[in-house]
């Protein structure tokens, strides 16, 4: 058995009580400002045990592939059901089309991230998960380029009902989902926070801003104090909720006294970026998550 010790830059992450790989154990010193040390314990088995363990490793591997394929199919089905449901609600005039689009914006990314724990602990799990936004990306391209028609999709996710709109906000949105899944996955607070800002914060800003946004921002007459304050508050609360969810499941543990002000800082950066009069040049679905990624990386480390 050999032990490898490596350090991580997540200075406020603390050791997780529930670990997801039997071969990897993480320990950190109790001070939240000191780095974590990851301890990888590698067993060197004798030949017979190695043969037995390679066949059990094969079945574990096959189990993980089955689990990931099932999870991908279930989440993909969920993404279709979500769009269909909001199309039906808007069609029956239960909710306005604008509200329907914003609820799809808020729910799809957040539910997608909430579903990550149903994927296996294998290294390939994130690639399986990214197939869901990737499939939706192709769906948006096909319908955005009018190679096929899907009235339900167009009504649920566009503002004016033009197919070409699918190639802007919604397409950038799924590309950011792919980026966060592949780069950050469940292992870092950065991706979770950035998705909370793009889906939750930005989505709620729109809903509240449209309803209560009579007082406009001094630097942007298209946006309001109600929208920006809601973005800050909901971006912060949804991020904390998502981090709590992941830490309860044991993916990472956080020192909350340190984490809370850092999340508030990321939420402030995301809110300021969202408030700028740059929407026509740079879509909020790109500027908000990218600014959040940079701010969160500076706060939490990659
Ligand atoms: N900080 C904010 C953000 C949004 N809004 C309100 O929400 C509307 C939509 O904002 P935004 O999402 O930035 O506009 P678009 O990009 O045009 O719409 P969408 O993202 O929905 O395509 C704005 O017109 C405004 O009424 C607001 O008052 N304050
Ligand atoms: C309206 C949108 C953005 C404009 O600001 C969001 C578009 C959403 C996509 C068309 C659908 C994305 C689905 C997610 C990748 C997966 C959701 C899964 C979940 C379980 C419902």
């Amino acid at each position: 058995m050999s032990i490898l010790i490596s350090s991580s830059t997540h200075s406020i992450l603390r050791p997780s009580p529930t670990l997801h790989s039997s071969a990897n154990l993480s320990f950190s010193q109790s001070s939240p400002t000191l780095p974590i040390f990851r301890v990888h314990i590698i067993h060197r088995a004798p030949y017979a045990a190695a043969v037995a363990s390679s066949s059990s490793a094969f079945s574990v591997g096959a189990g993980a592939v089955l689990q990931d394929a099932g999870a991908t199919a279930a989440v993909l089905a969920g993404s279709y059901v979500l769009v269909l449901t909001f199309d039906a609600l808007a069609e029956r005039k239960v909710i306005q089309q604008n509200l329907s689009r914003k609820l799809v914006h808020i729910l799809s990314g957040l539910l997608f991230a909430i579903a990550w724990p149903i994927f296996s602990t294998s290294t390939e799990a994130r690639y399986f998960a990214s197939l869901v936004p990737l499939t939706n990306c192709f769906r948006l391209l096909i319908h955005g380029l009018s190679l096929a028609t899907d009235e339900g999709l167009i009504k649920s996710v566009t503002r004016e009902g033009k197919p070409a709109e699918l190639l802007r906000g919604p397409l950038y949105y799924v590309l950011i989902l792919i980026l966060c899944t592949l780069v950050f996955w469940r292992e870092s607070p950065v991706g979770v926070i950035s998705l909370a800002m793009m889906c939750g914060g930005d989505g709620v800003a729109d809903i509240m801003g449209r309803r209560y946004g009579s007082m406009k921002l001094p630097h942007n007459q298209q946006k309001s104090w109600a929208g920006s304050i809601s973005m800050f508050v909901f971006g912060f609360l949804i991020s904390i909720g998502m981090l709590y969810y992941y830490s309860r499941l044991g993916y990472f543990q956080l020192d909350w006294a340190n984490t809370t002000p850092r999340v508030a800082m990321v939420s402030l950066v995301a809110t300021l970026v969202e408030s700028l009069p740059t929407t026509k040049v740079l879509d909020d679905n790109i500027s908000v998550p990218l600014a959040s990624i940079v701010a969160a990386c500076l706060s939490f480390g990659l």
Side-chain angles (χ1 to χ4, degrees), residues 74-83 100-113 115 129 132-134 136-137 139-140 153 156-158 165-166 168-171 173-174 177 198 202 283 285:
V75 180
L76 197 52
S79 72
Y80 275 78
V81 169
L82 186 84
V83 170
S100 159
R101 184 169 59 94
K102 277 299 149 182
L103 291 175
V104 172
H105 173 107
I106 294 171
L107 290 175
S108 48
L110 292 181
L111 290 177
F112 175 57
V132 178
L134 187 65
N136 279 281
C137 176
R139 196 181 171 198
L140 293 170
L153 177 70
S156 313
V157 306
T158 66
E165 285 179 63
L166 298 176
R168 295 200 296 270
L171 185 64
Y173 181 98
V174 294
L177 291 187
M198 176 182 77
D202 184 45
D283 194 280
N285 287 350

Side-chain angles (χ1 to χ4, degrees), residues 30 59 66 89 107 118 120 134 164 182 191 201 227 233 237 251 282 302:
S30 56
S59 58
L66 272 181
L89 291 175
L107 290 175
I118 69 174
S120 79
L134 187 65
L182 292 178
V233 172
L237 291 178
Y251 290 101
L282 193 58
L302 242 184

Side-chain angles (χ1 to χ4, degrees), residues 101-102 159 205-206 209-210 222-224 227-228 274 279 284:
R101 184 169 59 94
K102 277 299 149 182
R159 200 184 321 159
D206 182 298
R210 279 182 205 267
Q222 307 301 315
K223 306 223 169 164
S224 63
S228 290
E274 198 273 345
T279 311
D284 287 345

Side-chain angles (χ1 to χ4, degrees), residues 65-100:
V65 169
L66 272 181
Q67 181 182 345
D68 289 333
T72 306
V75 180
L76 197 52
S79 72
Y80 275 78
V81 169
L82 186 84
V83 170
L84 281 174
T85 305
F86 280 96
D87 174 43
L89 291 175
E91 188 71 21
R92 288 176 176 75
K93 307 254 183 293
V94 178
I95 51 175
Q96 285 177 344
Q97 190 163 326
N98 246 332
L99 180 60
S100 159

